Amino acid sequence: MTLAWPTRVHRLRFRRSLPPLPGAVEERGSWELRWTGCAVMGILNVTPDSFSDGGRHADVAAAVAQAESLRRAGALMIDVGGESTRPGSHGVSAAEELDRVRPVVAALAERGFLISVDTLKAEVAAEALRAGAHLINDVSGLRDPQMVQVCAEAGAPVCLMHMQGEPRTMQRSPHYTDVVEEVHSYLRREAERVQVAGVPDALLDPGLGFGKSLEHNLSLLRAVPDLAASPWPVLIGASRKGMIGQLSDEDDPAQRDPGSLALHLHAARSGAAMVRVHAVAEHGQALKVQAGLDRVPGGAG
């Protein structure tokens, strides 16, 4: 494990066609967001059926209040999701997803939030970007053929995630010959592809729990240093997932924050640039303490 992670600077580029980004630096016609160490992306589900917090923030006022709470707790970015992608879930129409997402994104944009939208539909992504979103978090890895074009035209970076199968069936006997090589090669190849197509930048997410067994997930977590050696920043999202329940015998997702902290601290020390979490305040504090512990005396990197 490297001890340099607390002082490592991460960068994510956005084209100038997007609205001004909170905290970003304008540089040669682009916005560049820079942060040191591992940042926190706060989860804001505006769905009735998400596995951990479905229904809690389904109206705009509740969603905005939760986003304000997450920002005060230290979230760099808020990830708004209008469709559950938990294992076994069935999708919703683009119209229904937009009804949930668009007013929340617009309200957050008015309040100066840095906004990610969790969607696998190009139509939803396009409308969310028009409403003020800055980044598209696509769990399908941009399988919708129009998604790359939407993000390229808007100048929005993407979070590329690896998923084997689809949410409804992805946990039915997932299989890999070499999970680390296959997932990492896919993510690097797709990041290069979308940037050639005009997308300004990408976050790489190995997709824990999305078509992976417990052992697959653990192998990918152990291999974060390899993925973090790529030119693109890495996002890890293990928050309250089933693998924590398998390791800890905790059936209630809402009681899995201690396990989430353990996995995300490991990811941070392994080079992850960002972690996607429900419990923002707890992660922010834990990351600060871990950074203090890992910082080399005398300020050396």
Side-chain angles (χ1 to χ4, degrees):
M1 287 262 181
T2 178
L3 296 185
W5 77 267
T7 57
R8 181 176 178 180
V9 178
H10 301 282
R11 294 175 170 85
L12 195 61
R13 293 181 300 278
F14 305 70
R15 273 212 303 280
R16 184 65 181 83
S17 53
L18 285 177
L21 271 77
V25 176
E26 190 172 3
E27 189 172 278
R28 295 191 299 276
S30 297
W31 297 106
E32 185 171 273
L33 185 68
R34 302 169 186 166
W35 67 96
T36 302
C38 185
V40 175
M41 173 187 280
I43 297 170
L44 180 60
N45 288 320
V46 291
T47 59
D49 57 345
S50 292
F51 78 97
S52 173
D53 56 359
R56 293 186 183 180
H57 315 117
D59 67 82
V60 175
V64 170
Q66 175 66 4
E68 292 282 11
S69 175
L70 296 177
R71 181 162 62 178
R72 287 194 301 272
L76 175 67
M77 187 180 301
I78 305 297
D79 190 46
V80 181
E83 177 182 46
S84 176
T85 52
R86 73 189 191 284
S89 64
H90 294 267
V92 299
S93 69
E96 184 174 356
E97 189 177 348
L98 275 170
D99 284 345
R100 298 171 180 176
V101 168
R102 185 165 41 197
V104 172
V105 169
L108 297 184
E110 288 179 358
R111 292 162 173 81
F113 282 85
L114 183 59
I115 307 162
S116 165
V117 170
D118 183 356
T119 185
L120 45 75
K121 299 182 183 72
E123 180 181 348
V124 175
E127 290 297 322
L129 289 166
R130 290 189 192 101
H134 302 98
L135 178 144
I136 298 300
N137 179 12
D138 185 352
V139 300
S140 76
L142 280 66
R143 292 181 191 177
D144 186 326
Q146 298 302 311
M147 188 68 91
V148 173
Q149 181 180 348
V150 164
C151 294
E153 289 179 353
V158 297
C159 181
L160 283 168
M161 197 192 81
H162 178 278
M163 174 172 63
Q164 187 178 86
E166 58 182 5
R168 186 171 57 86
T169 60
M170 63 188 177
Q171 288 306 102
R172 297 177 187 173
S173 303
H175 175 75
Y176 301 85
T177 301
D178 182 333
V179 67
V180 170
E181 195 281 329
E182 291 173 44
V183 170
H184 289 190
S185 294
Y186 166 84
L187 291 172
R188 290 172 176 137
R189 182 174 65 249
E190 287 300 291
E192 291 175 353
R193 178 181 72 87
V194 302
Q195 287 198 273
V196 167
V199 176
D201 213 341
L203 280 164
L204 305 185
D205 180 351
L208 303 177
F210 282 80
K212 281 96 176 171
S213 69
L214 174 61
E215 288 306 316
H216 294 147
N217 291 326
L218 293 174
S219 294
L220 289 166
L221 280 165
R222 294 178 186 121
V224 168
D226 174 73
L227 190 59
S230 303
W232 303 277
V234 172
L235 180 144
I236 296 295
S239 188
R240 300 180 181 175
K241 287 188 174 179
M243 65 177 297
I244 298 168
Q246 290 176 273
L247 292 167
S248 65
D249 298 321
E250 177 54 70
D251 294 330
D252 183 359
Q255 300 302 314
R256 294 175 185 163
D257 287 335
S260 304
L261 282 164
L263 295 183
H264 287 144
L265 287 174
H266 164 82
R269 297 191 74 221
S270 299
M274 189 175 292
V275 289
R276 180 180 180 273
V277 311
H278 297 86
V280 170
E282 292 85 345
H283 276 81
Q285 183 182 102
L287 285 164
K288 288 177 182 177
V289 171
Q290 187 68 70
L293 179 64
D294 282 358
R295 196 168 284 115
V296 175

